[in-house]
Amino acid sequence: MSNTSTEFIFTLGYWLVALCLAVPPQEFQSAGLTIQNLLSHWLGSEELHFVYYHMKRTTATVVFHSLIPIGYYIGLAIAVPDLDLWNISQVRLLWKVYLICSVIFCIVSCSLAFYWSRKKWNNHPIAIKLGYLGDAWRAVASSVNIEFRRIDKFASGPIGRRVIVTDSWVIKTTTYSIDIAHQGDVHLTLEESQTHDIHYESNTTVQFLNIRVDSVNPHTKSFKVRLNSIEYNDLKDKLSAPIRNVRNILIHQSLTDKFLETFRDQVQLNPVYHLPSNAVDLDPCIGCMQSTANIKLQKLCDNPDRGDCVQCYCRPMWCLECMSKWFASRQNQNEPQTWLSSKSPCPTCRAKFCILDVCRVQR
Ligand SMILES: [Zn+2]
Ligand SMILES: [Zn+2]
Ligand SMILES: [Zn+2]
């Protein structure tokens, strides 16, 4: 093979692999070929020490990225010895400039990484950001770590581009840092939505939402988070403040959310159940303990296809929200088209009911 073609193939291969390691596509991530996985021992556990993990991850990323240009020069010198790249005084001017720039880039980045790691990471940009959010950055870090360990946090996306919402914090991880704001300080605004026709995992339409996070803390810069619209409700549930949708963007829902809406609409059309006049007050729903129990199951359907519904004699114990979720959870998750015509057992007495038998309670 001629030198030119070896040089070409090496150049192409090197930059392709470097790019894939720097911005890993799905295939690289599933094969575990990411900086996080290669350095997992040194990085420690994200679950236990979230802040330290990301300080080390971003530092390693800076060092790794700074080695890519110089690595190309060394690799090419080995792959194509005829170019005589080791003989630095003899190489073409262009190569000299390239080499000097990559060495400077490498030295600056490694010095920066070293500086960040000094004084137990006091100089790291993440430590500085956390310092603006409380009296001492280590106290803020410990609060973030503790809340990140909880299983009820919201988290979406791969490690270097993840959106996390805990009880008190809104966090986005980025390649070289993290964005973080206190929940009490933020306003969230739904800015834009993008719809893609085919999603490589599920072959369906997906909608991505861009949400801007603004903080009243003058030291916290605004940042944007991006997520799949089917995760929107989970995100909303975890936030204490509402997400403003000033542009009235229509949000695509997950199948379950769509079903729950249809279910509730149908129940509004069903006959209501009148409480007997001597009835005591309604209890709170035993599912959520928040709303008042407002649903009574009565066998009303007379369609022979739905013939095996059974009268339920339970007093109203559930709210509409919980009953709709219960009904959806009892369905075959792979055949959503059958849900509306299916049945579910009463959560208390197991009597079968269909959607026509679900009645709102009225005095
Ligand atoms: Zn409930
Ligand atoms: Zn029952
Ligand atoms: Zn029925």
Side-chain angles (χ1 to χ4, degrees):
M1 212 172 348
S2 75
N3 277 335
T4 334
S5 54
T6 319
E7 190 184 340
F8 176 74
I9 291 168
F10 177 81
T11 305
L12 196 71
Y14 183 87
W15 288 106
L16 211 66
V17 171
L19 189 73
C20 285
L21 278 170
V23 197
Q26 191 72 25
E27 292 72 17
F28 264 60
Q29 281 176 13
S30 18
L33 284 171
T34 57
I35 300 177
Q36 291 84 271
N37 286 330
L38 299 174
L39 296 175
S40 58
H41 193 70
W42 177 69
L43 291 175
S45 157
E46 187 194 25
E47 202 64 35
L48 290 179
H49 307 286
F50 178 83
V51 173
Y52 276 122
Y53 179 93
H54 283 279
M55 285 175 159
K56 289 178 173 179
R57 176 189 65 82
T58 49
T59 309
T61 308
V62 166
V63 171
F64 173 75
H65 287 180
S66 77
L67 293 175
I68 293 176
I70 186 90
Y72 171 68
Y73 188 92
I74 296 171
L76 193 62
I78 296 168
V80 195
D82 288 354
L83 284 174
D84 208 15
L85 292 179
W86 295 120
N87 193 351
I88 292 161
S89 55
Q90 298 300 311
V91 292
R92 275 186 299 159
L93 178 66
L94 207 63
W95 276 122
K96 277 186 190 147
V97 174
Y98 178 87
L99 186 62
I100 292 168
C101 291
S102 11
V103 169
I104 294 175
F105 181 50
C106 192
I107 293 173
V108 170
S109 309
C110 292
S111 320
L112 185 68
F114 181 71
Y115 171 72
W116 284 356
S117 71
R118 292 293 77 201
K119 297 184 198 157
K120 293 186 179 157
W121 301 99
N122 269 356
N123 303 323
H124 195 285
I126 294 178
I128 294 166
K129 275 187 190 174
L130 296 184
Y132 291 132
L133 298 169
D135 296 331
W137 78 264
R138 282 176 212 277
V140 178
S142 137
S143 152
V144 173
N145 288 346
I146 290 169
E147 292 192 5
F148 185 77
R149 279 177 221 147
R150 296 187 187 144
I151 50 165
D152 65 342
K153 64 177 179 282
F154 171 88
S156 157
I159 283 181
R161 284 191 304 262
R162 188 184 280 173
V163 182
I164 300 145
V165 182
T166 67
D167 294 337
S168 330
W169 306 100
V170 181
I171 306 165
K172 187 182 84 169
T173 63
T174 62
T175 310
Y176 302 117
S177 187
I178 65 173
D179 291 312
I180 179 164
H182 195 273
Q183 275 231 37
D185 292 345
V186 295
H187 301 290
L188 286 94
T189 315
L190 184 55
E191 277 208 320
E192 194 189 359
S193 89
Q194 286 158 347
T195 309
H196 299 288
D197 269 345
I198 288 180
H199 190 228
Y200 54 89
E201 276 171 347
S202 57
N203 289 339
T204 46
T205 306
V206 281
Q207 183 191 29
F208 284 98
L209 303 172
N210 290 341
I211 298 167
R212 201 182 67 227
V213 182
D214 296 305
S215 173
V216 292
N217 184 327
H219 295 291
T220 307
K221 271 199 218 129
S222 300
F223 56 93
K224 278 184 189 172
V225 299
R226 179 178 163 84
L227 80 169
N228 193 316
S229 62
I230 60 171
E231 297 167 311
Y232 184 73
N233 279 334
D234 293 337
L235 173 74
K236 260 192 344 195
D237 288 347
K238 197 65 207 165
L239 289 166
S240 45
I243 303 178
R244 285 181 293 189
N245 183 359
V246 281
R247 296 191 191 171
N248 285 323
I249 293 169
L250 193 70
I251 296 152
H252 298 194
Q253 296 169 305
S254 70
L255 264 178
T256 312
D257 289 336
K258 270 185 209 162
F259 173 79
L260 296 179
E261 208 170 273
T262 318
F263 186 96
R264 291 189 282 257
D265 290 347
Q266 174 59 45
V267 172
Q268 298 303 324
L269 302 175
N270 289 349
V272 293
Y273 169 79
H274 291 280
L275 268 189
S277 48
N278 58 352
V280 287
D281 269 353
L282 290 167
D283 295 324
C285 159
I286 60 172
C288 58
M289 291 295 184
Q290 281 168 10
S291 315
T292 313
N294 59 358
I295 290 298
K296 165 80 183 151
L297 300 174
Q298 312 184 84
K299 184 181 176 320
L300 293 174
C301 57
D302 52 3
N303 184 336
D305 293 345
R306 301 180 185 247
D308 54 348
C309 285
V310 180
Q311 177 60 46
C312 151
Y313 294 99
C314 306
R315 65 193 160 83
M317 287 186 195
W318 300 83
C319 71
L320 177 55
E321 181 80 22
C322 290
M323 189 58 94
S324 61
K325 285 181 183 161
W326 163 261
F327 191 93
S329 73
R330 304 298 297 181
Q331 304 308 314
N332 180 344
Q333 299 301 312
N334 296 321
E335 292 179 15
Q337 69 280 7
T338 66
W339 291 5
L340 271 182
S341 56
S342 297
K343 293 175 203 307
S344 152
C346 159
T348 322
C349 72
R350 308 279 145 182
K352 271 195 182 165
F353 70 96
C354 64
I355 192 168
L356 299 175
D357 308 330
V358 183
C359 304
R360 283 171 299 133
V361 174
Q362 253 174 29
R363 284 235 166 235

